[in-house]
Amino acid sequence: MNLADRKRQLVVDELTEAALQLMAVKGFEVTTVDEIVATAGVSRRTFFRYFASKEDVLVQLLAYLGDVMRDTIASRPPAEPPAVVLRHALAEAIDDCRDSRDKALRVVQLVLVTPSLLARFLERQSQWQTMLAGALTARGVNEFRADLAAGTALAAFVTVLRRWSAPGSTDDPVALLDEAFTYLGPAL
Amino acid sequence: MNLADRKRQLVVDELTEAALQLMAVKGFEVTTVDEIVATAGVSRRTFFRYFASKEDVLVQLLAYLGDVMRDTIASRPPAEPPAVVLRHALAEAIDDCRDSRDKALRVVQLVLVTPSLLARFLERQSQWQTMLAGALTARGVNEFRADLAAGTALAAFVTVLRRWSAPGSTDDPVALLDEAFTYLGPAL
DNA sequence: CCTCCGTTGACACTCAGTGCCACCGGCGGC
DNA sequence: GCCGCCGGTGGCACTGAGTGTCAACGGAGG
């Protein structure tokens, strides 16, 4: 990893940490970009070189979940049934959230409770749906069914996230996902 | 209906028509609120008294679909299975879209193709999900399953809308929904 | 040492969205 | 008919998000 790359990564980390800390305390809307960059020690212009919008600084934190799903699917045997492939992909993503509980939980709670963040997250999720559906059609699934299956799986995903991030929840997220797939799996 | 109410409705119609016409031609992002209000003949300030955001002027056009779903569910017999209730609710909403094809189709196409509009629409849809899930739990469905069922049904809903609004599509939307429920229904 | 290139900061600008106040027009009471 | 009330409106100023531009800085390589 290059020096320049590490410097850029450092700026990203500083900005995301400042944003997350401020927004967790004050709330998303009332936290201004000016406050974030002041805390992080960079200029306002630099913020928008790294993030397309104020929402992006948090949504970006969950973006790697899409990569996790994609990679997981790629590693599954081609003959595996769609429902099983999807379950593994989502389980891997949720497992990653559970591992980094401290950070992921704060982000998910903030996203699910803030309308504009939820909106941007769901938009991102619809990109995941396109990706997942593409992976299924590549495995020979009918295009319409692939869209439905991907959409259904992601609906289960957010429902599990909602349960998991609910205050006072003691449920294991992967167990929740398994329960969801007990119901939904046969239909995919 | 009051005189004042009709005057307000007139302003809403004028603004939505101006917005829809401009955005369909130029695209959503490049259409400014100033242009919309100039076309509609009201002040900028008035626009934001009727719509919470620039996105809202289009998303609001689809808001009644939520009411259609709610009313449809209320009219179904209490003992009807959840899958059938949901199918009727969505079928009624989609039927309404099909009837007003000229306007609804333009709106749906614009919403599905514009990221920020899609984001706001999906956020609205997540409110529908809460409403639908509540209706199911009121009918005795387990809360987790109700959330899953509502999310799955709405995932089918957008998939059908996507097919229906695709350029050159000749599919009947209600038939598409029925096909989707052939797969998904048993799992709900 | 100099040049090239990527990153940054500063400034100016557009546009979305909000608070505030003054104004107008209908409507009921006197 | 006059007056006060009130919902809707327009104008204005302001904050904050997001973008284009340019000059300056600093490291990598010749």
Side-chain angles (χ1 to χ4, degrees):
Chain A
M1 206 177 189
N2 202 358
L3 168 65
D5 289 338
R6 263 178 297 161
K7 276 168 70 176
R8 294 180 76 254
Q9 187 58 46
L10 197 67
V11 176
V12 170
D13 291 345
E14 208 69 31
L15 281 173
T16 52
E17 191 49 48
L20 189 52
Q21 199 269 332
L22 284 171
M23 290 173 180
V25 173
K26 307 178 43 178
F28 173 80
E29 288 91 352
V30 294
T31 303
T32 68
V33 175
D34 286 311
E35 293 175 321
I36 298 172
V37 299
T39 306
V42 298
S43 81
R44 167 183 184 68
R45 195 64 186 83
T46 296
F47 178 92
F48 287 105
R49 287 198 179 93
Y50 285 91
F51 304 106
S53 66
K54 199 173 82 167
E55 288 85 11
D56 203 40
V57 70
L58 288 193
V59 172
Q60 193 69 22
L61 274 174
L62 302 174
Y64 76 101
L65 294 178
D67 301 334
V68 169
M69 295 182 203
R70 187 203 317 270
D71 296 347
T72 303
I73 289 183
S75 75
R76 304 302 307 176
E80 202 166 41
V84 180
V85 175
L86 287 175
R87 187 170 63 80
H88 276 105
L90 297 192
E92 201 67 37
I94 287 189
D95 204 45
D96 269 33
C97 285
R98 189 180 49 181
D99 290 347
S100 58
R101 186 180 181 87
D102 318 328
K103 175 160 289 187
L105 189 56
R106 283 194 297 165
V107 178
V108 170
Q109 280 175 340
L110 208 47
V111 167
L112 292 185
V113 94
T114 308
S116 62
L117 280 174
L118 178 62
R120 289 294 168 178
F121 173 67
L122 292 176
E123 181 210 339
R124 174 65 60 114
Q125 199 183 245
S126 95
Q127 298 172 12
W128 293 350
Q129 181 178 357
T130 304
M131 181 264 292
L132 291 177
L136 292 187
T137 56
R139 286 162 178 257
V141 179
N142 166 280
E143 204 171 311
F144 185 58
R145 289 205 67 163
D147 260 9
L148 286 173
T152 300
L154 288 173
F157 183 67
V158 304
T159 298
V160 169
L161 283 186
R162 205 170 274 134
R163 295 269 151 184
W164 174 59
S165 69
S169 161
T170 59
D171 297 328
D172 177 62
V174 177
L176 284 174
L177 186 74
D178 282 342
E179 185 186 349
F181 266 79
T182 310
Y183 309 136
L184 267 30
L188 309 181
Chain B
M1 205 177 190
N2 200 0
L3 167 66
D5 288 340
R6 265 178 296 162
K7 275 168 71 177
R8 294 180 77 255
Q9 188 58 45
L10 196 67
V11 176
V12 169
D13 290 344
E14 207 68 33
L15 281 173
T16 51
E17 191 48 47
L20 190 51
Q21 198 270 332
L22 284 170
M23 290 174 180
V25 174
K26 306 179 44 179
F28 173 81
E29 288 91 352
V30 294
T31 303
T32 68
V33 175
D34 286 309
E35 293 174 321
I36 298 172
V37 298
T39 305
V42 298
S43 80
R44 168 185 184 70
R45 195 64 188 82
T46 295
F47 178 92
F48 287 106
R49 287 199 179 92
Y50 284 91
F51 304 105
S53 67
K54 199 175 82 169
E55 288 85 12
D56 203 40
V57 69
L58 288 193
V59 172
Q60 193 69 21
L61 274 174
L62 302 175
Y64 76 102
L65 295 179
D67 301 334
V68 169
M69 296 182 202
R70 187 203 317 269
D71 296 347
T72 303
I73 289 184
S75 74
R76 303 304 305 178
E80 202 167 41
V84 180
V85 175
L86 287 174
R87 187 170 63 80
H88 277 105
L90 298 191
E92 202 67 37
I94 287 190
D95 204 45
D96 270 33
C97 285
R98 190 180 48 183
D99 289 347
S100 59
R101 187 180 180 86
D102 318 328
K103 176 161 286 187
L105 188 57
R106 283 193 298 167
V107 178
V108 169
Q109 281 175 340
L110 208 47
V111 167
L112 292 184
V113 94
T114 307
S116 62
L117 280 174
L118 178 63
R120 289 294 168 178
F121 172 69
L122 292 175
E123 182 210 340
R124 173 66 59 115
Q125 198 183 246
S126 95
Q127 299 171 12
W128 294 349
Q129 182 178 355
T130 304
M131 181 263 291
L132 292 177
L136 292 188
T137 56
R139 286 162 178 260
V141 179
N142 166 279
E143 204 171 312
F144 184 58
R145 289 205 68 164
D147 260 9
L148 287 173
T152 301
L154 287 173
F157 182 67
V158 304
T159 298
V160 169
L161 283 186
R162 204 170 274 132
R163 295 268 153 185
W164 174 59
S165 70
S169 162
T170 59
D171 297 327
D172 177 63
V174 177
L176 284 174
L177 186 73
D178 283 342
E179 185 186 349
F181 266 79
T182 310
Y183 308 138
L184 266 30
L188 308 182

